[in-house]
Every structure is written in structure tokens, then in C-alpha cells.
Amino acid sequence: MGFSQLTFREAKLDDLDKIVFMLADDMLGQKRERYTQPLLESYIEAFQSIDADPNIELIVACDQEEAVGVLQLTMTPFLTHQGGWRALIEGVRTALTHRGKGIGTMLIKRAIQHASDRGCHMIQLTTDKQRPDARRFYEKLGFEATHDGMKLQLPHE
């Protein structure tokens, strides 16, 4: 596979620098993320909120101790589907040096299993229309484009 020992765990604050770097290290991430030293306080505050919420997990794939992949898994109760829980996958990234080695697949499969273990009846995600390779990747893992997603950007300071 090209890595010595891949493990998965919940992210720690010490991983945040590497996570933000991975989020910013692609064509779309370069437009919406700001990887600076020190990191923006907003990233630290977001991490602390995620870490404090038992229904959100920031999962990292590690090669030895170095974070080389990440995704956020958010589990939410809904009144629809008879009050069932669903999971949302966001922010899937693999470090440039580790792409094409199956890490993304392992992360997604781990998230699916974890959501199932938590009683979720559905897992969903969105992928940007500018990422046709990502869409094919998710389809190979069993995801189907059954709905059109819509977003509205809200103003913020």
C-alpha cells in the first residue's frame, strides 16, 4: 500500500495543523481555506466545538503517528424517516503524499461502519460538481446521487 502502519483515531488538537493543511491542499480548498501560521483562531474554535460534541467525530488516518487522511462524521436525529438518525460525511481529504493508496476508501468504510453501529439508517454526503473523480469514487463505494443538493451562502464577518 505504500505506508508502514495505518491506524484510525479521533483527531487531537495536535493534528489540527495537518488537517487544515490537507483541507487547503487542493484546487477548491485553496479558494476557501486559509492555511497560515499560526492557524486562524476560527479553526481552533471549530475544532473545540467538534471535539465537545458526542455526535460529531473528526476521524484521522495515521501513517505511524502522522495524520495523512481526515473526514468529519456528524450524526443527527431527524423527525423524518420515523425519527431516525442519519450521518453526514464532510471534509474528506488525503495528504498529497498518500493519495491513491486506498486511505480514502478505508476512511469512508470506517465512517459507514461507525454510523451503522450508532444506529443511523442513512449516511449522506455532498461532492462539488467540479470534482467528477470524487463522484466516481463515492459511487464505487455504493453512494447514489438520488437528490439535488442546494446551498445558500450566508453573509458573515
Side-chain angles (χ1 to χ4, degrees):
M1 280 279 204
F3 46 82
S4 54
Q5 182 182 1
L6 194 68
T7 58
F8 299 90
R9 60 173 169 74
E10 285 196 54
K12 300 180 277 189
L13 186 58
D14 289 347
D15 299 314
L16 188 57
D17 185 79
K18 183 68 177 186
I19 290 168
V20 173
F21 183 83
M22 284 187 281
L23 292 172
D25 190 27
D26 74 8
M27 66 174 192
L28 296 177
Q30 291 170 358
K31 296 175 187 174
R32 59 184 175 216
E33 305 301 339
R34 281 191 44 209
Y35 179 73
T36 60
Q37 293 297 319
L39 289 176
L40 297 176
E41 189 65 28
S42 58
Y43 286 119
I44 296 166
E45 291 169 2
F47 177 85
Q48 291 169 336
S49 292
I50 290 165
D51 194 45
D53 190 325
N55 293 315
I56 306 174
E57 292 189 20
L58 196 57
I59 301 169
V60 290
C62 297
D63 183 0
Q64 306 216 11
E65 286 299 311
E66 179 189 3
V68 295
V70 65
L71 68 70
Q72 181 173 323
L73 180 66
T74 303
M75 289 154 287
T76 308
F78 282 81
L79 288 177
T80 59
H81 294 269
Q82 303 171 31
W85 282 70
R86 353 181 147 174
L88 172 68
I89 294 175
E90 273 286 325
V92 180
R93 295 291 190 286
T94 302
L96 182 61
T97 56
H98 286 67
R99 289 184 190 150
K101 298 178 181 176
I103 294 171
T105 298
M106 288 185 272
L107 271 168
I108 296 293
K109 287 181 176 181
R110 183 175 180 90
I112 291 168
Q113 184 61 55
H114 188 74
S116 178
D117 291 347
R118 285 279 308 264
C120 293
H121 68 88
M122 179 186 305
I123 192 162
Q124 57 194 39
L125 54 81
T126 60
T127 186
D128 196 291
K129 290 182 178 186
Q130 297 176 66
R131 296 178 193 246
D133 290 341
R135 182 178 173 135
R136 284 189 291 276
F137 167 74
Y138 294 124
E139 287 171 342
K140 284 181 185 175
L141 290 167
F143 288 86
E144 298 177 40
T146 60
H147 292 67
D148 283 330
M150 299 177 78
K151 295 184 179 185
L152 173 66
Q153 295 294 325
L154 302 175
H156 69 281
E157 296 177 23

